[in-house]
Amino acid sequence: MPRMDNCKDFLSWVDPDTSLNIFKCLDDPADLARVSCVSRSWRDFVVANGLSKQLCLRMFPQLSRVACVIELNQDGVKEHSEVGSSQSNECLALWKDHRVYSYLARSCLSPVAMDCIDKAISASSTDNFPQESIVNTLEERDNIAGRFSYWSSSGQSNPNVPETLTYQLASQICVITEINIQPFQAHFQMGSPIYSAKSVRFKMGHLKASLDDLTDAFVWTYTSPEFPMAQENRLQKFKLPEPVLCIGGILQIELLERVQSQEMDGLLYICISHVQALGIQLSPAFSVDILGPSGMFVLKRDRMANCQPPEPSENESGAALTLADRHFQQIVTILRGHVMGVGAMDGWEEEEYEVDEDNAF
């Protein structure tokens, strides 16, 4: 390959604002990783301007409430900052933010989605407890050993009385992309009625730091648009307009307007047999501490933990090993910052850079 002796770094030809606007056009964490590997000056430009953090903020506006980020060491405690000049401490803080947000962005784009619901918290009403408890909605089957499994609201004469189902997610911080709900069909009643709602809406948030106000124990940081719900006995999929970063691990489903009455008492009910919340669990690599009523929070990154998908099958494991063998040297080179970029399917890992305080920026 001929040498390009006259090749110039465009960062030295254009003003910083123009360079920043160009780099902000990158909307994929892998592209930002490639850019960081082009040269020391490009890598330092990415870090000094907090481009990894800015990319995460564009992906997930919920991160605007991050008060600070903390890295935990192998003992699970905060790593101590080195004593030095204010300039060197600022440099170290920028590199820390870059590491944390780079890995967060990469983790949030994992192709593996799973059901993130851990357990049921409460329902706004229940007709017959515990036989028709919200806990039944965690079971995929609506008939277990000859017994119907579902949650049922209490009966209402007013169709506009809503119901809510509240769940705790498996991770304190996770990305939710889709919520699936299956209405219950009562085959044991005349005409096999389906007790769906007319529409549904979703809220995500966290527990209040103080429970002095018992009217509502939760703070909602996201509310979805309203989705129409079909009166059909199937798992209905509601894909959110954008992936949502749920901070605090609480999901609430609002079931709006009743459409089916029960012949026996003439009252309107909503019954649900199964609920799923599909997404990506970010613990144990990430956790949060909510800071009082302000809703601000501390984002903590455990450098000894990873965001890992479920165990792959035997065939998938073999394919992954082959891919790892093929790209191992390239990944090592990327992490050292000596190559131009990575392929679109490369499994690039978190960048752990050595910070040269004398030459940084």
Side-chain angles (χ1 to χ4, degrees):
M1 179 180 295
R3 293 182 59 190
M4 300 191 329
D5 295 327
N6 295 323
C7 181
K8 299 291 185 181
D9 185 348
F10 83 84
L11 288 181
S12 63
W13 287 78
V14 298
D15 62 272
D17 288 342
T18 302
S19 299
L20 187 59
N21 288 332
I22 293 173
F23 276 60
K24 282 183 177 179
C25 293
L26 300 174
D27 57 3
D28 188 316
D31 290 336
L32 204 55
R34 295 185 183 99
V35 164
S36 300
C37 294
V38 169
S39 67
R40 176 183 289 273
S41 65
W42 284 38
R43 186 185 67 183
D44 289 348
F45 187 85
V46 169
V47 176
N49 288 280
L51 291 178
S52 294
K53 179 178 180 178
Q54 293 187 47
L55 175 58
C56 283
L57 286 169
R58 293 198 300 272
M59 293 168 61
F60 302 107
Q62 295 83 11
L63 289 171
S64 63
R65 297 188 302 117
V66 172
C68 65
V69 298
I70 293 176
E71 287 184 307
L72 305 178
N73 61 21
Q74 60 268 27
D75 299 317
V77 298
K78 178 180 177 181
E79 294 187 342
H80 294 289
S81 300
E82 297 292 333
V83 176
S85 67
S86 59
Q87 183 177 0
S88 65
N89 287 337
E90 181 182 357
C91 173
L92 290 172
L94 286 169
W95 279 95
K96 177 186 65 176
D97 282 1
H98 175 69
R99 288 192 300 269
V100 171
Y101 284 107
S102 292
Y103 189 70
L104 178 62
R106 180 260 187 184
S107 301
C108 289
L109 295 181
S110 169
V112 179
M114 63 184 71
D115 187 358
C116 293
I117 293 179
D118 179 42
K119 60 184 179 182
I121 295 178
S122 64
S124 52
S125 74
T126 302
D127 191 35
N128 294 304
F129 185 85
Q131 293 85 356
E132 298 173 335
S133 166
I134 181 179
V135 174
N136 295 334
T137 63
L138 303 179
E139 173 60 51
E140 292 187 21
R141 298 168 294 171
D142 61 3
N143 192 307
I144 303 174
R147 180 182 66 83
F148 288 101
S149 175
Y150 61 96
W151 162 80
S152 174
S153 72
S154 60
Q156 296 285 343
S157 58
N158 182 358
N160 295 317
V161 176
E163 297 286 348
T164 60
L165 301 176
T166 307
Y167 299 89
Q168 179 176 311
L169 302 180
S171 175
Q172 193 184 22
I173 175 172
C174 55
V175 178
I176 301 299
T177 57
E178 180 179 300
I179 298 172
N180 302 331
I181 303 174
Q182 182 165 351
F184 177 68
Q185 183 169 16
H187 293 288
F188 52 84
Q189 294 182 359
M190 184 70 69
S192 299
I194 300 173
Y195 291 94
S196 69
K198 185 175 182 179
S199 61
V200 64
R201 185 168 54 212
F202 310 108
K203 292 181 177 180
M204 297 183 216
H206 56 82
L207 282 167
K208 284 184 177 178
S210 172
L211 296 181
D212 294 338
D213 180 9
L214 298 179
T215 57
D216 191 351
F218 307 104
V219 174
W220 304 116
T221 57
Y222 171 81
T223 301
S224 77
E226 194 172 316
F227 297 89
M229 197 171 186
Q231 195 173 6
E232 300 175 5
N233 178 23
R234 59 179 174 85
L235 191 64
Q236 300 180 34
K237 300 182 178 182
F238 304 98
K239 189 174 180 62
L240 300 177
E242 298 289 343
V244 176
L245 189 66
C246 179
I247 307 296
I250 302 296
L251 166 69
Q252 186 174 90
I253 297 174
E254 292 185 294
L255 300 160
L256 307 173
E257 294 193 50
R258 301 158 189 258
V259 296
Q260 182 63 54
S261 61
Q262 182 176 248
E263 183 178 6
M264 183 171 60
D265 59 11
L267 297 177
L268 295 155
Y269 293 81
I270 300 176
C271 302
I272 301 297
S273 61
H274 185 47
V275 170
Q276 295 176 340
L278 300 185
I280 304 163
Q281 300 176 21
L282 298 178
S283 63
F286 290 95
S287 59
V288 298
D289 283 339
I290 308 297
L291 302 176
S294 67
M296 302 294 286
F297 64 92
V298 177
L299 177 63
K300 298 189 288 187
R301 158 75 168 118
D302 186 344
R303 296 182 64 176
M304 302 302 293
N306 293 310
C307 304
Q308 295 182 344
E311 291 294 325
S313 65
E314 185 173 341
N315 291 337
E316 291 172 334
S317 298
L321 286 174
T322 301
L323 182 65
D325 291 338
R326 183 155 41 102
H327 292 306
F328 177 79
Q329 187 58 52
Q330 185 180 11
I331 292 172
V332 170
T333 308
I334 290 167
L335 294 178
R336 290 175 178 167
H338 293 314
V339 299
M340 295 295 293
V342 292
M345 297 303 293
D346 289 340
W348 64 280
E349 299 294 337
E350 177 182 12
E351 300 140 317
E352 298 289 355
Y353 297 117
E354 296 287 338
V355 182
D356 183 351
E357 295 182 24
D358 295 330
N359 297 320
F361 312 148

